[in-house]
Amino acid sequence: MSTTRNRVLGITAATALGLGLFAPVASAAPGASFVKASAGQYLLAADSPAAFSVADAYQLATGNAKLEITAASGTTPFGTEAEFKAGKWTATATPAGASNSQKLTLTYVSSSKVRVALPAGTGGTASTIDLLKDAESQGTLEVTYEAKVNSVSWKVDTTDGTRVGTISGTGLSQIDGVSLTTQVAGDSASAVTLSAVADAATLATSTSGYVVVKDSQVLVKLPAGVTGKEGTWRVSLTPKAGVRFTTLSPATKLDVKYVAPKITKLSAAGFSTAAAGEITLTGSNLGVLGESGNGVYLRPAAAVDATGDIAVTVKSGSLKQTQAVLTTPVKADVAALTAGEYRVVLKTGFGFSADSGKATDKLLAVTPGAVTAASSAVLGGGGKVNLDIAGINLGATAKEFSAKKVTATTSVTVGAKTTSKTVTLKYVDADTVEATLPAGTPGQTAPITIYQQGVAFSPVNVNYAAGITSISKTVLTTAGGDVKLSGVGLSGTFKLHKVADGASTTNDITVTPASEKLDAKGKSATITVPNTVTEGVYQVVVTPSGDFSGATQLFTSKSVISISNNG
């Protein structure tokens, strides 16, 4: 918008005013001069009215070294270049609200156009340019400096995923609003309008908003997520009425990129439906899950939509941009929860996360059943025992069983050291596996724990027993003699029990070996069968002591001796 000061043209005779021939005229308008009309008379003449304008009333805050000012159509106030110079044309620029003006130099272009070097100003403010001829104002016009964004820096909060932007420039106090709009082709998402807050401290505790810190700085906080499509979204600054922003270059300076959260790893492959547990989810852009309406769900593997989704609680205080701790649901609280495979689904304003096609986002819900052992003991040297496992269909073949991811462990104490050991499992049928226990110490208990995808079943205890695994002589005469035994837990007392006596131990013969014939590790012993023994079939019975106290003896074929004189 431009304005001009109108000139007053007065024609009068000095004598008509009752003045002397050369008396001054106090009411002469700026730029007026006297011209002789006839003898004894003078006329007061003013310059022709002039209006001035510029092509664009909005100018860059950095100034304009070649701002052209044009007179109103049909007027030629500047005359020829010689007349322009003779008129001593100059100009001043006065910022709005200022009392001091800055003198400007005019450059002649034509009789109706001049050029001026407009100084830099403050964005969003106006400046009045006054054109002067012979130090007298010939008209004014007003230009408004455009507000401008100079730079933008963004920082993503590593906890909640919000973005805090520092926008620097000039005239930023003239902002009337800030919004976020999608730039993604085909995305019809509504713009997100940010609210103005009182100060930076308030912004820090808000989920989104903006605050004008000073004329040269605005802080903007963008939400962690938006409702729409992934891709580029643009921050737009809405100026107050009468204010204009300089076109951004590049236009992408205020762009941000939104990407849906993704899962890269789960700390476990399964969870129990019987007891709540915790699973750590690792991924990217997870902070958005904390916003209203967003969350984590379990979706049955065969489901085609969200109908059967089960909400999963994110542990309070655990949510970060790259990690979240999930509290797994239990059957007692969620009736719809059944054993089987689920996909972990992330719900945000971008929709539901897609199936990765990998184990990355899969969880197996397991309902642990009872585990029973077909035998309560194995030899201290290790051995095999069949286990029946309830709660799992182990499959129809060994291959199907392998896919069930069923494993087992036990803890073994040897000497004073207890270590965890892997138990090898072999498929038997849909309910049974054969477990091979490692060597242990007779008298100790081996708790076998079955796992499916890492979910533990209640352990079943199998004891390590003493036993004879090798015998040097299986047949003796009634004359007796030495017999060397090999095995585990061979310590304490040794007896010969006549098999024909059944459960009665009345006639058992004690044959405790001499200490020098007893291995301290319980691996061998030499017994002396007395010459008082009678013919028959005997079992060598061991009652362990010392490190093997409490161990039972597991019967083997190697613990049998025949006494006969018929050899």
Side-chain angles (χ1 to χ4, degrees), residues 384-396:
K384 303 179 187 299
V385 60
N386 280 4
L387 303 176
D388 286 337
I389 305 173
I392 309 176
N393 182 333
L394 300 176

Side-chain angles (χ1 to χ4, degrees), residues 479-542:
D482 288 346
V483 177
K484 185 177 180 179
L485 308 174
S486 298
V488 288
L490 301 183
S491 62
T493 61
F494 293 75
K495 292 182 179 182
L496 293 178
H497 172 73
K498 201 169 192 177
V499 175
D501 290 344
S504 176
T505 60
T506 304
N507 298 318
D508 284 3
I509 303 170
T510 300
V511 287
T512 303
S515 59
E516 67 271 12
K517 296 182 179 181
L518 186 65
D519 178 24
K521 295 182 180 181
K523 292 184 178 181
S524 65
T526 299
I527 61 173
T528 301
V529 177
N531 57 12
T532 57
V533 68
T534 60
E535 289 185 301
V537 178
Y538 291 81
Q539 179 185 349
V540 180
V541 178
V542 183

Side-chain angles (χ1 to χ4, degrees), residues 48-389:
S48 300
F52 300 101
S53 63
V54 290
D56 190 346
Y58 288 94
Q59 294 294 312
L60 298 176
T62 52
N64 186 345
K66 297 181 180 181
L67 178 64
E68 291 190 345
I69 300 175
T70 304
S73 178
T75 64
T76 57
F78 306 119
T80 64
E81 187 170 5
E83 291 173 330
F84 174 78
K85 291 180 179 179
K88 299 179 181 178
W89 283 82
T90 58
T92 61
T94 307
S99 57
N100 298 324
S101 299
Q102 182 176 350
K103 188 174 181 180
L104 309 178
T105 300
L106 291 179
T107 300
Y108 181 83
V109 178
S110 69
S111 61
S112 60
K113 184 180 296 185
V114 290
R115 185 180 297 121
V116 65
L118 178 69
T122 301
T125 65
S127 183
T128 299
I129 299 176
D130 192 359
L131 279 73
L132 304 104
K133 178 182 179 183
D134 289 326
E136 293 290 341
S137 176
Q138 304 298 305
T140 61
L141 60 92
E142 185 178 273
V143 295
T144 299
Y145 287 108
E146 292 179 337
K148 183 183 180 183
V149 173
N150 292 328
S151 63
V152 184
S153 62
W154 296 102
K155 184 178 180 180
V156 178
D157 190 293
T158 57
T159 299
D160 62 17
T162 56
R163 294 171 170 83
V164 177
T166 300
I167 301 176
S168 301
T170 180
L172 301 183
S173 61
Q174 301 303 308
I175 288 175
D176 197 36
V178 179
S179 60
L180 183 64
T181 55
T182 180
Q183 303 298 301
V184 182
D187 190 1
S188 58
S190 300
V192 178
T193 301
L194 305 183
S195 299
V197 299
D199 49 41
T202 303
L203 187 68
T205 59
S206 303
T207 56
S208 64
Y210 74 94
V211 60
V212 178
V213 178
K214 51 188 175 182
D215 188 71
S216 61
Q217 187 181 82
V218 173
L219 296 180
V220 175
K221 191 172 188 179
L222 303 181
V226 290
T227 300
K229 293 184 177 181
E230 291 183 83
T232 301
W233 287 61
R234 182 166 296 170
V235 176
S236 299
L237 307 180
T238 303
K240 295 178 180 178
V243 178
R244 192 170 79 182
F245 275 87
T246 299
T247 302
L248 281 175
S249 180
T252 56
K253 188 176 288 187
L254 284 172
D255 285 356
V256 293
K257 190 171 184 179
Y258 277 97
V259 179
K262 289 181 174 58
I263 301 170
T264 56
K265 184 174 67 174
L266 294 171
S267 63
F271 67 96
S272 172
T273 63
E278 292 182 353
I279 292 176
T280 299
L281 185 158
T282 302
S284 57
N285 304 313
L286 302 179
V288 67
L289 298 174
E291 294 187 341
S292 177
N294 297 344
V296 183
Y297 295 84
L298 291 179
R299 181 172 297 177
V304 295
D305 56 35
T307 304
D309 284 4
I310 297 171
V312 179
T313 301
V314 176
K315 185 179 180 181
S316 178
S318 74
L319 182 61
K320 297 179 181 179
Q321 188 70 340
T322 57
Q323 195 173 85
V325 177
L326 310 180
T327 301
T328 56
V330 294
K331 180 69 175 177
D333 298 328
V334 183
L337 182 64
T338 58
E341 188 177 80
Y342 289 84
R343 178 166 69 89
V344 180
V345 176
L346 308 181
K347 180 189 176 185
T348 66
F350 299 116
F352 293 99
S353 57
D355 189 341
S356 67
K358 303 176 183 178
T360 306
D361 54 358
K362 306 301 187 300
L363 280 176
L364 183 69
V366 179
T367 302
V371 180
T372 55
S375 173
S376 62
V378 294
L379 286 174
K384 303 179 187 299
V385 60
N386 280 4
L387 303 176
D388 286 337
I389 305 173

Side-chain angles (χ1 to χ4, degrees), residues 419-470:
T419 56
S420 178
K421 299 283 187 176
T422 297
V423 175
T424 302
L425 299 180
K426 180 181 179 182
Y427 174 80
V428 176
D429 57 36
D431 303 307
T432 308
V433 292
E434 180 188 78
T436 300
L437 287 171
T441 301
Q444 300 288 336
T445 297
I448 304 174
T449 303
I450 296 293
Y451 299 88
Q452 185 177 23
Q453 287 289 32
V455 178
F457 287 54
S458 294
V460 59
N461 290 329
V462 175
N463 298 317
Y464 281 113
I468 299 170
T469 58
S470 175

